[in-house]
Amino acid sequence: MDPMPEEQETRAAEPLTQWVQRIAHAVRAFDRRHPLPWDLTFTGFWVTAALIDYVGGGWENVARNKDVPAWLLLTMTLGLSLPLLWRRTHPRAVLCAIAPLAVANAWSGAVLQAALLQLVVVYHIALRRPLRSLWWTTILVITPEFVTVARHSKRSWDEQVVPLLLSIALCAAIGITVRTRRDYTEALEDRARRLETERDQQARLAAAAERTRIAREMHDIIGHNLSVITGLADGGRYAAAKSPDRAAQALDAIAGTSRQALTELRRLLDVLREEDRPTADLTPQPALTDLDQLLDGVRKAGLPVSTTVHGTPAITPGRQLTVYRVIQEALTNTLKHAGPGATSQIEMSYADGGAVTVTVTDTGRGGDTEGTGGRGLPGMRERTALYSGTLEAGPLPEGGWRVRLHLPEETPQ
């Protein structure tokens, strides 16, 4: 068993660690927004320390020459410490400004400890500038030590220079480590921002796809049922004067179709309202077994429909829904545009592997306007494209309209 998640939770639960992280984050955030106060505090501390070393005579304890003029000592003290104020914004310029004073410090023999503040600048160069800058930085910092060895020291140069080289390497390593950590954190934050953006984009795409699906379902439900109701109402109006019984049958059919449409709409709207309930049980999912009910409603609306079936249907529920909706849309368009006296023929052919071909033809007026408006044909083509199928719709040469759907064999998963 991997104990790492438990260890991470334990570390995350430490109050002291969280408090330290919050404080550090707050300090860094304040420093990013207002860098000057920290720069003034840091520079002021080291300037004060350098002046104390100068005024108190502490520099004499390590000096090679104690007869250095006071004005030169003060100039070197301030010159080696004050430029630290710009160490973060212009570290290379600061080092170049300090270098002549560091050489003068070594040449005079004062050997002020303020010269070691160059190591702070080395850290900032490693942190903020290209790493190739460390070559000439090392040369600038190490040169005064060679001057000291040549003029004032009787010890070998390696005893003087090697410790300084190690100090430079340590400061550069710390700067590189902090820089690597900072870059890694920035990369993580950038990745988190990109993932958040991608998540929002995926959510918007999913919402758009859901709106399209709902619009397609509502079009199929409302468009078909209203077309059937309109046909039944027209037939009942003409039958009312001569055959009241037929008119009553038409009204019963209208009531049944209306209730069916309302039931399907309620289920569809329940999917939108109740996100916690499983959508598979609420979304209207007609199948091939519902075709008889669909055709009965169309026949009652006054459109004679005949069917021919070749083969045995053995297709998945998703393909069954596509076949159902295409037939429903084709018959709805026939009811709307075919005109009086039209008939419709449905031919369905099933093959092995889930392939199916459906052809819906009618003997109506046809023409360029049948089925071309709204979401009818686009909706059928979207459904067909989900299964890499083809959909053809257009007028017949001898009159009428034909819709042909072909779904290829299912690809084995």
Side-chain angles (χ1 to χ4, degrees):
M1 181 180 296
D2 188 0
M4 292 184 64
E6 296 180 1
E7 294 177 359
Q8 292 175 354
E9 291 178 2
T10 302
R11 287 197 297 270
E14 284 289 341
L16 180 60
T17 302
Q18 293 181 356
W19 181 80
V20 171
Q21 289 176 349
R22 285 196 299 268
I23 294 298
H25 179 74
V27 170
R28 286 194 297 268
F30 178 82
D31 185 51
R32 284 193 297 268
R33 294 192 301 268
H34 310 285
L36 186 59
W38 170 246
D39 288 340
L40 289 174
T41 302
F42 183 86
T43 304
F45 173 82
W46 289 112
V47 169
T48 302
L51 289 175
I52 290 174
D53 184 56
Y54 161 69
V55 174
W59 64 276
E60 295 178 354
N61 296 327
V62 294
R64 303 292 194 274
N65 177 21
K66 298 182 180 180
D67 297 328
V68 181
W71 66 268
L72 181 58
L73 285 173
L74 181 60
T75 301
M76 291 188 297
T77 297
L78 296 178
L80 292 171
S81 57
L82 273 179
L84 292 180
L85 183 63
W86 298 277
R87 73 195 183 283
R88 292 201 286 188
T89 55
H90 304 88
R92 289 179 294 191
V94 169
L95 186 63
C96 291
I98 290 177
L101 295 171
V103 172
N105 178 47
W107 185 269
S108 65
V111 194
L112 296 176
Q113 297 302 298
L116 294 176
L117 294 177
Q118 294 178 100
L119 297 177
V120 176
V121 185
V122 171
Y123 162 81
H124 283 279
I125 290 177
L127 178 65
R128 305 173 191 280
R129 294 295 181 263
L131 296 183
R132 61 178 178 271
S133 301
L134 291 175
W135 293 108
W136 63 263
T137 297
T138 302
I139 295 174
L140 280 182
V141 175
I142 206 71
T143 298
E145 198 66 25
F146 281 107
V147 173
T148 301
V149 171
R151 281 184 56 83
H152 304 287
S153 180
K154 297 181 180 179
R155 293 184 296 177
S156 61
W157 68 271
D158 56 330
E159 295 180 10
Q160 293 283 106
V161 175
V162 171
L164 182 59
L165 281 174
L166 293 176
S167 300
I168 295 173
L170 177 62
C171 292
I174 295 174
I176 293 172
T177 302
V178 175
R179 178 179 188 166
T180 303
R181 181 67 180 176
R182 182 194 62 188
D183 293 343
Y184 176 71
T185 303
E186 290 177 354
L188 289 180
E189 292 175 350
D190 180 68
R191 182 171 181 269
R193 284 193 296 268
R194 286 189 286 105
L195 289 176
E196 184 177 357
T197 302
E198 291 176 3
R199 181 199 63 191
D200 295 340
Q201 291 175 346
Q202 291 294 332
R204 287 194 293 268
L205 290 175
E210 184 66 9
R211 286 195 297 268
T212 301
R213 186 190 69 83
I214 293 171
R216 186 168 58 232
E217 293 289 346
M218 294 188 70
H219 171 273
D220 293 337
I221 295 170
I222 297 174
H224 171 72
N225 288 288
L226 286 182
S227 297
V228 172
I229 291 171
T230 302
L232 291 170
D234 290 339
R237 183 180 59 185
Y238 290 114
K242 298 179 180 180
S243 179
D245 293 338
R246 296 291 301 275
Q249 292 176 0
L251 291 176
D252 290 340
I254 290 174
T257 303
S258 300
R259 282 192 292 270
Q260 179 184 358
L262 287 174
T263 300
E264 292 186 0
L265 283 175
R266 285 195 189 98
R267 289 176 179 173
L268 185 62
L269 294 176
D270 284 344
V271 176
L272 301 179
R273 288 197 301 265
E274 303 182 22
E275 298 180 353
D276 295 335
R277 296 176 61 182
T279 58
D281 296 335
L282 298 175
T283 306
Q285 297 291 334
L288 293 179
T289 55
D290 299 308
L291 274 178
D292 291 338
Q293 183 180 359
L294 172 68
L295 298 179
D296 289 342
V298 173
R299 293 186 183 109
K300 290 179 181 179
L303 176 65
V305 181
S306 61
T307 60
T308 303
V309 180
H310 304 284
T312 302
I315 56 178
T316 60
R319 289 178 170 236
Q320 292 186 38
L321 175 62
T322 299
V323 171
Y324 181 93
R325 290 304 190 195
V326 168
I327 293 175
Q328 183 187 52
E329 179 64 27
L331 295 177
T332 301
N333 290 334
T334 301
L335 284 171
K336 290 180 180 178
H337 306 290
T343 62
S344 182
Q345 169 70 33
I346 302 174
E347 183 177 355
M348 293 178 285
S349 299
Y350 300 98
D352 296 335
V356 58
T357 302
V358 178
T359 304
V360 183
T361 58
D362 64 57
T363 59
R365 293 192 302 263
D368 296 336
T369 61
E370 184 173 337
T372 58
R375 297 190 53 84
L377 282 175
M380 288 193 288
R381 290 196 171 96
E382 288 174 4
R383 291 183 183 277
T384 305
L386 292 176
Y387 300 97
S388 302
T390 58
L391 180 76
E392 301 172 1
L396 295 171
E398 63 274 13
W401 191 270
R402 181 181 67 178
V403 175
R404 184 179 183 276
L405 165 71
H406 175 71
L407 300 180
E409 292 184 6
E410 295 187 74
T411 304
Q413 299 297 321

